């Protein structure tokens, strides 16, 4: 749980109070649901008035701080958090002291709580994994020598040839949902987070694993992060329904643009080859295309009957591939959002699309990974062998290797040209299966 | 599967649960089907208003009260890429963070950290969320201590225990997993751990549900008020014995017996729906013969009015209306009902005729019952409510919340009616009803065909083209049927006593137990022994002291509403009131489509008149006082509650005002005929209240009349006053 | 017995020849009986019937005959309007009282009756032949003042509005009383309900609809003690003005006869069937198809202990009868039927099945027509035709019509089985059925859509044509056939081609009325179809004309219209249409003008009988007496003198139209000038 300091230093809104408000209050007093017309998702809103008779916080005045009254009243119907136990004594004391100290705040009043809370230092990963957790992110290093895989609060790096563990990069969100290598191979972007708790996109130095920056911090997990073809921009997809674009200014990544058009989680983003357009797929069953210059949403495709999990631009630049929970790989036109054709129906729901070189790589819950020609959508290979849902895939164009990871923590490596399996291993450091048969 | 041992340290304050696991053969220890799901259901997660609703809450949907384990295991463990479960640090799983309010949870705090439920779920996650295919079904749920219990003051609390046995023979204590609910909070409450605490005297049923098994235990709380002494007249028949036994146990002394006048009015209203004529009242009151009450009962039971009135009661239940059965069939079906009751047709024959009716709806009007049902489910639901006393509709989409009816049972019963076929014939609205030789019911979820099934003997294996309605009717009407006699006996009892032994009369379920089971049991046995003779049953009831008990409660039995220590007065039914007003004023209301001689209580159907604006005024009186539309088989359609509209109708409503001020009303005619005023006043009281006016009433009336210049107007006022007294408006 | 009436018809024709009667052209409106009372003729007791209606012939012309399914003699007692003294200008009758007496052995039960007058033939009206006397009794609507009946008797009345009728009975212990209402069986729109109440009003017995009598109630009761009882009669919805005949006595209440269908002209013995099965009553008779078969008759049953008969409908056909022999519940036990026959049998117990086998050749046509409800049996039949392996080839019975026929064309040679069962699986000794089974029945049949001839006769002037709107029902027979209408006079010519090809579904069949037929003559037409193609043997058959739909619009209220009342179409010859023409004329107010009246067709002569003119003067209409002279043969015209009223306004015009009652070739006629003439009014 989040640590609470008890020294004499003045109470910091972002360090001490924002984490409490985020976890205990925002789900009922946030952008989606604002009970009593009161929201806490930014500092400005926290101190403003809801439908109660006093503003949330009145500097230096306890009686006229509605939130303080709600935290301390013993009337069960009025007390917050509603239908649950009151906050601990120390936490209430923090609020009290903050009001008395004039409820100061030095950050951006309209920034979301999640972004003003200083990025947490994540706990250590377990030395040996006790259970087979799912691996939902994979990426090859630029020389193909290393295979980055999502772990528990870490990124594990494996030798794709023999499945040996090379190194472990810590201080990562609880689960990694996407890993992307910058075109120059020097940076890694990891979309991660803990379900229901927090989400963020971490930029790491691919070689050393050092933390470069923490972006797109949201109250729930981040699901995708993609470098632009020129490597100078990064697009992220999060569960707060927003697509964010960051731009690199010397070592710092600044927020360039935020698209809030989706009404539910955004599962995936993809850059057009010229870097001018972005495609996104969301749980609201639609895929959209945005134009960066104008900052406008160009088109919405609502041909899927399930959550859209993967998107990729067609080389001609005016069509988009998209995969969805409704088991379909569709191709649709940007100018009118009409479906050109269904390319393939998988045995079960399909996940992200990795578009690399001349091919599209798609994984599905029907335990098969597929390779399609980017140009004409014809199926080139099927990579079989997995014994559970396949959640992510990566392709090393140098050594022509395909690697995919499954729900039950396995990685399979194939030789791409002939789709021959090379070998497969449980990519969870130190995991000893109870059953001897498992290798 | 190795049972879980745990010791329960029984101490009222802190029930500490320590459980250890027998780790032996590496097989999972926490059963998903038998422990995790029941706990989620017990803690309220999978109830209808939260995650159990068809669309779930916050993208998280569980099957209602966990009746579909495979769906739930997929949702919890795999949906949204396994986001709800954290195998590495189980306590950090979303499935636990939310219910413990570690993260804001709209559903509130459902699990206490380190509570029994919390530990169980965490243990299950620690074991990797195993969900083995479970063919080991829970087959029996047993409650300790047993079927029913009597608690004497001051020990008004009781700890219940629940033990489940499974198809593989194993059994285990599931008190912590079962859901306890009470049928009446003001009598007793029960907490999550099965501890019952009584608040006041009376009787309550505690329902215990674990997975699909439902059991109930009846607990009676008896407390002796000070100064209570038991006093009751000698019993006339077994009814008095059974009722007095219960009353004595609960310390409710019965009120005294009623006088002749009250008996005369009550028995006439209950058996014929009509007030006794003034002359009949005069002769009965002055009659000295000792057996005059039983003779009166006999003559009323033999009268055509009895047959017409009780036929109308069944008309209410069988959707007998012009809208439902059509223009001429409404009269034919009403005639058939009257003939059946006039001939005292045994109740099992009566039910068989209705349920297995075949052929043309002109030649055999009883086929109109099947004709009003739109499909197999509707036919079954109507039959279940009428003859099994059960509102089974809830089990159509999921297991019944309060009863043993599961969804399979619902479709098992519907299978009996799946083959009914109807076709329209030529003109005159004749319909032909027959049964096809094949046709099955498909279970909406499982998709397989469901075999015909009945509660006590289970599924039937029938030759393919056997007439299933015949089979159901035979099962229903055999003496050993657990529902048939009890439902009708309770319905007749409620019609005579105002409230059923099971109330409401068509809602027999474990959580709504009979207020006097031995009485219901004995009445049913007597009814069956008599060959389902309804007239015999009515005669027995109305001859008992319990029926002839006064309507006033006394100091000790004032708050008895269910055990018949006194007969609760109830307002006249709509039709009874209209006829009574018509009889007293001599200006009976006449109805569209029937001769003027036909009384409101004999009306074949409420909607004989076409819907036309001009007629609205006339039928409004009946509607305001609760005449049912007869669109459903539910007894609840006849509204009994009072309302402002009723007061206005009796104040100066169009109908009542018209009757009072009519030039040729009874009392105006006797005025013209120069009848002496005392005689008119006496006739008014005899006709309206079935008794002679007492001295005070006579004095007031005559004084008022003497003083009045317009005797007619004065008589109108007198009549208006009498007809607005409770003694007239109520059947007491 | 029917020969008797035949000769009557014969001499009727001769009779026609003797004296000419006056015919009204159809323009004046069809002959119509609006009511008859009483609706019953009594066996062995002459009855006075009073007919009211329209155009029932001319009063005083003494020419009125009853054409009925029960032979009878009639005698005119009185007629309205009164016949004219001078025999000229007779008015059409609208009321006539006849004394009707029956032959002895006539069948009790429902029959039909028409009146044949000089003006035409009326549509059929259903009539009861009863062996119970009809008594005049005033019904009351209250029990206490009801009239005491002295059965056995019949009472005719109309149901009261929003009330019930009561009749009082004094019954002795052990006495059996049978009560029956005849209403819907006479085509009346009545659904009566019958109750027998004891002195205190309790129901002793009650009846609403019965299998044997459709909507008419009937009940029997044996009194257990001497008591007063009341009969309560009402219309089921208490509607008033509905006719009913109450029969009270001690008579059987047969539900049906067995066999229900008999071969015409063959002595057949029948057994009466009631709701519990066969009864002891039986009888035999040789019923002849009075007007060809199939037709429909009544069959009365009466035991020695009864004082009247109960009757059931009986159908007469030409094919022989076959009585089922149990067991015939499996294919192996099925009885082989070689030729067209009527299958009679019954479904004794629930789910009973009767099976008949047929050996068919490819292309042969099978047609089964079930008769149950319309002949009184409660069964609803399900017919299914199956091949040897039990595969269902065709089935009938689940559709919406009550007695659904089954048609099938054999796809190949081989044996097929007809499986007869009750649709609802019911079965008791009373569940009888009759199925007329035709193998290679007539390849097609005709329906006569009598919509154009609402009173079910066709009429035309000598030399004109009458149209029959016919609908053919082909039974897998695509060849062209020739159709020849014929009657007692022999064949009639057809206008236009008489070849009916496959494509002709509905078509108008024009029949030529011979010049030789005199107005007032009539004949009963039938159709003979003939087919000859080289290589096939020529076939010729007299077709079965299906009148069901035709009779349904004449008797809409009867649940089961009598299948075929009369299997022939009555043709009635109307007088030739006379047309005259007036010359235009001019005159001054006050003048006497003479208008020439020319006969359009030169070859006929007529003389004015009673001219009647109506002016449409300007500005209002005047009635002015006018004198007319007879047609002057040589000049070829006659003169119509009339004087123009003095106050007519000069410059206006007066329009004259005249209708004249004249005689033509010693047949009286009435015609209306077809044109109007305007009289120009010059100045003073």
């Amino acid at each position: 749980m989040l640590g609470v300091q008890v020294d004499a230093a003045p109470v910091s809104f972002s360090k001490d109070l924002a984490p409490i408000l985020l976890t205990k209050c925002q789900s009922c007093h946030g952008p989606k649901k604002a009970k009593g017309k009161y929201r806490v998702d930014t500092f400005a809103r926290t101190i403003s008035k809801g439908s109660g008779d006093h503003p949330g916080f009145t500097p230096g005045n306890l009686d006229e701080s509605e939130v303080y009254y709600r935290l301390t009243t013993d009337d069960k119907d009025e007390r917050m958090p509603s239908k649950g136990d009151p906050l601990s004594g120390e936490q209430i004391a923090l609020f009290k002291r903050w009001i008395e100290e004039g409820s100061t705040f030095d950050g951006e009043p309209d920034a979301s709580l999640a972004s003003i809370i200083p990025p947490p230092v994540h706990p250590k990963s377990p030395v040996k994994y006790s259970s087979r957790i799912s691996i939902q992110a994979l990426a090859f290093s630029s020389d193909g020598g290393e295979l980055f895989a999502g772990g528990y609060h870490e990124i594990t790096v494996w030798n794709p040839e023999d499945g040996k563990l090379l190194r472990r990069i810590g201080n990562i969100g609880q689960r990694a949902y996407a890993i992307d290598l910058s075109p120059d191979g020097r940076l890694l972007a990891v979309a991660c987070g803990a379900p229901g708790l927090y989400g963020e996109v971490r930029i790491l130095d691919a070689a050393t694993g050092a933390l470069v920056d923490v972006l797109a911090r949201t109250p729930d997990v981040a699901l995708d992060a993609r470098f632009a073809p020129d490597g100078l921009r990064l697009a992220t997809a999060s569960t707060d329904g927003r697509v964010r674009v960051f731009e690199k200014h010397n070592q710092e990544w600044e927020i360039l643009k935020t698209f809030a058009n989706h009404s539910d989680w955004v599962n995936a983003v993809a850059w057009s080859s010229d870097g001018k357009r972005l495609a996104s797929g969301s749980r609201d069953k639609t895929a959209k295309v945005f134009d960066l210059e104008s900052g406008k949403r160009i088109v919405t495709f609502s041909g899927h009957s399930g959550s859209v999990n993967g998107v990729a631009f067609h080389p001609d630049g005016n069509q988009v591939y998209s995969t969805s929970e409704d088991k379909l790989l569709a191709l649709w036109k940007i100018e009118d959002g009409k479906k050109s054709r269904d390319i393939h129906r998988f045995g079960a729901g399909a996940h992200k699309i990795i578009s690399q070189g001349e091919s599209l790589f798609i994984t599905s819950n029907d335990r098969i990974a597929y390779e399609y020609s980017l140009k004409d959508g014809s199926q080139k290979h099927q990579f079989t062998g997995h014994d559970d849902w396949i959640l992510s895939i990566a392709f090393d164009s140098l050594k022509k290797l395909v690697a995919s990871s499954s729900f039950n923590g396995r990685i399979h490596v194939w030789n791409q040209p002939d789709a021959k399996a090379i070998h497969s291993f449980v990519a969870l450091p130190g995991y000893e299966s109870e059953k001897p048969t498992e290798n | 599967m190795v049972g879980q041992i745990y010791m329960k340290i029984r101490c009222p304050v802190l029930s500490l649960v320590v459980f250890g696991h027998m780790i032996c053969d590496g097989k999972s220890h926490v059963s998903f089907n038998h422990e995790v799901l029941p706990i989620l259901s017990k803690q309220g997660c999978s109830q209808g208003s939260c995650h159990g609703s068809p669309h779930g809450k916050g993208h998280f949907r569980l099957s209602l009260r966990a009746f579909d384990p495979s769906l739930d295991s997929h949702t919890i463990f795999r949906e949204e890429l396994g986001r709800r479960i954290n195998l590495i640090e189980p306590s950090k799983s979303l499935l636990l963070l939310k219910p413990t309010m570690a993260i804001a949870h709209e559903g509130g705090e459902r699990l206490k950290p380190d509570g029994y439920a919390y530990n169980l779920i965490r243990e299950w996650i620690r074991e990797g969320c195993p969900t083995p295919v479970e063919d080991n079904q829970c087959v029996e749920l047993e409650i300790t201590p047993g079927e029913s219990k009597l608690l004497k003051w001051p020990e008004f609390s009781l700890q219940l225990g629940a033990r489940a046995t499974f198809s593989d023979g194993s059994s285990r204590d599931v008190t912590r997993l079962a859901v306890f609910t009470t049928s009446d909070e003001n009598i007793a409450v029960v907490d999550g751990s099965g501890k019952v605490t009584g608040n006041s005297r009376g009787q309550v049923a505690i329902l215990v549900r674990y997975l699909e098994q439902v059991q109930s235990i009846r607990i009676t709380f008896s407390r002796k008020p000070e100064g209570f002494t038991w006093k009751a007249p000698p019993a006339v028949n077994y009814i008095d014995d059974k009722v007095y036994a219960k009353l004595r146990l609960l310390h409710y002394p019965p009120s005294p017996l009623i006088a002749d006048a009250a008996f005369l009015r009550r028995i006439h209203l209950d058996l014929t729906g009509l007030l006794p004529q003034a002359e009949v009242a005069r002769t009965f009151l002055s009659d000295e013969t000792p057996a005059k009450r039983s003779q009166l009962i006999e003559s009323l039971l033999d009268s055509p009015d009895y047959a017409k009135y009780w036929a109308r009661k069944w008309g209410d239940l069988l959707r007998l209306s012009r809208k439902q059965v059509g223009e001429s069939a409404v009269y034919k079906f009403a005639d058939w009902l009257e003939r059946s009751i006039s001939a005292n047709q045994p109740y099992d024959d009566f039910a068989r005729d209705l349920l297995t009716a075949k052929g043309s709806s002109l030649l055999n009007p009883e086929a109109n019952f099947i004709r009003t049902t739109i499909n197999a489910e509707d036919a079954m639901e109507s039959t279940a409510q009428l003859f099994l006393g059960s509102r089974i509709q809830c089990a159509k989409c999921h297991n019944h919340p309060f009863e043993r009816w599961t969804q399979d049972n619902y479709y098992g019963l519907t299978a009996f009616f799946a083959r009914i076929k109807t076709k329209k014939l030529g003109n005159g609205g004749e319909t032909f009803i027959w049964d096809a030789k094949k046709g099955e019911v498909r279970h909406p979820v499982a998709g397989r065909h469901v075999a015909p099934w009945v509660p006590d003997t289970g599924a039937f294996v029938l030759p393919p083209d056997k007439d299933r309605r015949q089979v159901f009717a035979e099962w229903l009407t055999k003496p050993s049927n657990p529902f048939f006699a009890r439902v009708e006996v309770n319905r007749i009892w409620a019609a005579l006593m105002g409230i059923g032994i099971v109330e409401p009369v068509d809602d027999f379920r474990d959580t709504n137990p009979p207020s006097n089971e031995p009485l219901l049991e004995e009445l049913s046995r007597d009814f069956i022994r008599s060959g389902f003779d309804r007239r015999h049953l009515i005669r027995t009831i109305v001859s008992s002291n319990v029926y002839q008990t006064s309507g006033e409660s006394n100091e000790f039995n004032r708050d008895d509403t269910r055990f018949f220590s006194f007969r609760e007065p109830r307002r006249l039914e709509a039709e009874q009131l209209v006829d009574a007003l018509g009889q007293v004023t001599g200006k009976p209301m006449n109805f569209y489509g029937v001769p003027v001689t036909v009384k409101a209580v004999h009306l074949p159907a409420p909607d004989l008149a076409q819907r036309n604006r001009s007629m609205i005024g006339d039928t409004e009186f009946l509607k305001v006082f609760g005449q049912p539309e007869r669109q459903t088989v539910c007894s609840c359609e006849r509204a009994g509650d009072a309302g402002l509209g009723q007061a206005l109708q009796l104040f100066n409503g169009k109908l009542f005002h018209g009757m009072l001020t009519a030039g040729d009303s009874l009392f105006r005619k006797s005025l013209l005929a120069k009848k002496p005023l005392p005689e008119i006043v006496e006739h008014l009281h005899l006709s309206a209240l079935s008794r002679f006016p007492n001295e005070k009433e006579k004095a007031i009336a005559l004084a008022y009349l003497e003083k009045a210049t317009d005797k007619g107007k004065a008589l109108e006022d007198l009549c208006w006053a009498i007809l607005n007294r409770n003694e007239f408006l109520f059947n007491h | 017995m029917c020969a008797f009436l035949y000769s009557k018809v014969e001499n009727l024709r001769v009779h026609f020849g003797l004296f000419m009667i006056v015919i009204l052209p159809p323009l004046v409106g069809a002959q119509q009986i609006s009511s008859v009372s009483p609706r019953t003729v009594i066996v062995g007791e002459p009855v006075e019937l009073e007919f009211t209606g329209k155009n029932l012939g001319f009063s005083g012309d003494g020419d009125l005959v009853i054409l009925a399914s029960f032979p009878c003699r009639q005698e005119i007692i009185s007629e309205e309007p009164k016949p004219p003294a001078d025999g000229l200008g007779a008015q059409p009758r609208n009321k006539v009282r006849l004394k009707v007496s029956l032959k002895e052995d006539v069948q009790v039960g429902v029959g039909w009756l028409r009146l044949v007058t000089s003006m035409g033939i009326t549509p059929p009206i259903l009539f009861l032949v009863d062996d119970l006397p009809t008594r005049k009794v005033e019904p009351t609507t209250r029990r206490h003042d009801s009239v005491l009946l002295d059965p056995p008797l019949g009472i005719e009345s109309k149901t009261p509005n929003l009330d019930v009728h009561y009749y009082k009975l004094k019954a002795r212990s052990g006495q059996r009383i049978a009560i029956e209402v005849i209403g819907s069986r006479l085509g009346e729109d009545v659904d009566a309900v019958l109750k027998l109440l004891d002195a205190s009003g309790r129901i002793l017995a009650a009846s609403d609809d019965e299998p044997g009598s459709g909507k008419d109630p009937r009940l029997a009761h044996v009194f257990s003690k001497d008591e007063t009882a009341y009969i309560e009669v009402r219309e089921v919805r208490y509607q008033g003005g509905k006719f009913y005949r109450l029969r009270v006595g001690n008579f059987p209440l047969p539900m049906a006869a067995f066999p229900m269908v008999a071969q015409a002209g063959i002595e057949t013995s029948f057994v009466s069937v009631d709701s519990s099965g066969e009864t002891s009553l039986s009888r035999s008779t040789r019923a002849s198809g009075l007007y060809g078969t199939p037709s429909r008759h009544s069959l009365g049953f009466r035991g020695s202990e009864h004082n009247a008969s109960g009757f059931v409908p009986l159908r007469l056909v030409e094919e022989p009868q076959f009585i089922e022999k149990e067991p015939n519940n499996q294919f192996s036990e099925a009885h082989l039927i070689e030729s067209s026959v009527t299958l009679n049998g019954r479904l004794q117990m629930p789910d009973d099945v009767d099976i008949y086998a047929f050996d068919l050749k490819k292309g042969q046509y099978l047609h089964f027509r079930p008769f149950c409800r319309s002949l009184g049996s409660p069964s609803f039949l399900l017919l299914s035709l199956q091949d040897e392996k039990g595969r269902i080839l065709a089935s009938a019975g689940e559709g919406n019509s009550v007695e659904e026929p089954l048609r099938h064309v054999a796809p190949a040679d081989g044996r097929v089985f007809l499986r007869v069962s009750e649709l609802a699986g019911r079965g008791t000794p009373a569940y009888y059925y009759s199925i007329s089974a035709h193998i290679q029945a007539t390849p097609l049949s005709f329906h006569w859509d009598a919509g154009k001839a609402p009173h079910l006769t066709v009429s035309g002037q000598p030399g004109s044509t009458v149209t029959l709107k016919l609908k053919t029902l082909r039974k897998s027979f695509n060849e062209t056939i020739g159709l020849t209408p014929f009657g007692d006079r022999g064949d009639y010519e057809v206008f236009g081609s008489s070849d009916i090809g496959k494509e002709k579904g509905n078509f108008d069949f024009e029949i030529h009325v011979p010049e030789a037929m005199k107005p007032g003559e009539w004949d009963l037409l039938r159709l003979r179809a003939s087919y000859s193609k080289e290589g096939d043997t020529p076939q010729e058959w007299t077709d079965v004309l299906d009148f069901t739909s035709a009779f349904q619009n004449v008797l809409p209220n009867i649940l089961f219209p009598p299948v075929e009342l009369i299997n022939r179409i009555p043709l009635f010859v109307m007088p030739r249409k006379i047309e005259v023409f007036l010359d235009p004329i001019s005159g001054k107010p006050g003048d006497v003008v003479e208008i020439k009246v020319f006969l359009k067709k030169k070859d006929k002569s007529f003389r004015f009988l009673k001219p009647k003119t109506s002016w449409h003067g300007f500005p209002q209409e005047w009635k002015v007496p006018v004198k007319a002279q007879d047609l002057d043969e040589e000049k070829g015209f006659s003169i119509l003198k009339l004087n123009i009223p003095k106050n007519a306004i000069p410059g206006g015009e007066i329009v004259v139209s005249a209708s004249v009652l004249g005689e033509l070739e010693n047949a009286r006629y009435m015609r209306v000038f077809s044109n109007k003439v305007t009289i120009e009014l010059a100045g003073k």
Side-chain angles (χ1 to χ4, degrees), chain B residues 97 209 305 334 503 709:
Chain B
L97 292 178
R209 183 181 331 104
D305 289 340
E503 184 61 32
T709 52

mmCIF file of all heavy atoms in Angstrom, chain B residues 97 209 305 334 503 709:
data_model
loop_
_atom_site.group_PDB
_atom_site.id
_atom_site.type_symbol
_atom_site.label_atom_id
_atom_site.label_comp_id
_atom_site.label_asym_id
_atom_site.label_seq_id
_atom_site.Cartn_x
_atom_site.Cartn_y
_atom_site.Cartn_z
ATOM 1 N N LEU B 97 -9.538 -6.632 -3.979
ATOM 2 C CA LEU B 97 -9.337 -5.206 -3.631
ATOM 3 C C LEU B 97 -10.677 -4.463 -3.624
ATOM 4 O O LEU B 97 -10.988 -3.664 -2.734
ATOM 5 C CB LEU B 97 -8.377 -4.579 -4.645
ATOM 6 C CG LEU B 97 -6.915 -5.091 -4.601
ATOM 7 C CD1 LEU B 97 -6.084 -4.417 -5.696
ATOM 8 C CD2 LEU B 97 -6.310 -4.826 -3.222
ATOM 9 N N ARG B 209 -30.516 -21.260 1.823
ATOM 10 C CA ARG B 209 -30.259 -21.683 0.430
ATOM 11 C C ARG B 209 -28.767 -21.905 0.257
ATOM 12 O O ARG B 209 -27.958 -21.072 0.703
ATOM 13 C CB ARG B 209 -30.723 -20.602 -0.563
ATOM 14 C CG ARG B 209 -30.498 -21.113 -1.998
ATOM 15 C CD ARG B 209 -30.859 -20.190 -3.122
ATOM 16 N NE ARG B 209 -31.912 -19.287 -2.825
ATOM 17 C CZ ARG B 209 -31.701 -18.006 -2.558
ATOM 18 N NH1 ARG B 209 -30.465 -17.541 -2.524
ATOM 19 N NH2 ARG B 209 -32.711 -17.223 -2.278
ATOM 20 N N ASP B 305 -78.703 -19.348 -5.886
ATOM 21 C CA ASP B 305 -77.810 -18.190 -5.672
ATOM 22 C C ASP B 305 -76.410 -18.656 -5.273
ATOM 23 O O ASP B 305 -75.406 -18.089 -5.707
ATOM 24 C CB ASP B 305 -78.395 -17.284 -4.564
ATOM 25 C CG ASP B 305 -79.640 -16.558 -5.081
ATOM 26 O OD1 ASP B 305 -79.760 -16.490 -6.325
ATOM 27 O OD2 ASP B 305 -80.470 -16.106 -4.277
ATOM 28 N N ALA B 334 -69.666 -19.344 -18.526
ATOM 29 C CA ALA B 334 -70.290 -18.973 -17.236
ATOM 30 C C ALA B 334 -71.391 -20.002 -16.900
ATOM 31 O O ALA B 334 -71.483 -20.489 -15.763
ATOM 32 C CB ALA B 334 -70.881 -17.573 -17.342
ATOM 33 N N GLU B 503 -51.307 -17.300 3.006
ATOM 34 C CA GLU B 503 -51.782 -16.023 2.441
ATOM 35 C C GLU B 503 -50.641 -15.390 1.664
ATOM 36 O O GLU B 503 -49.525 -15.326 2.218
ATOM 37 C CB GLU B 503 -52.216 -15.102 3.595
ATOM 38 C CG GLU B 503 -52.823 -13.763 3.187
ATOM 39 C CD GLU B 503 -54.100 -13.899 2.346
ATOM 40 O OE1 GLU B 503 -54.856 -14.882 2.549
ATOM 41 O OE2 GLU B 503 -54.307 -13.042 1.465
ATOM 42 N N THR B 709 -90.518 18.063 7.353
ATOM 43 C CA THR B 709 -91.759 18.372 6.598
ATOM 44 C C THR B 709 -91.863 17.375 5.442
ATOM 45 O O THR B 709 -92.872 16.710 5.260
ATOM 46 C CB THR B 709 -91.668 19.806 6.014
ATOM 47 O OG1 THR B 709 -90.398 19.847 5.291
ATOM 48 C CG2 THR B 709 -91.647 20.834 7.114
#
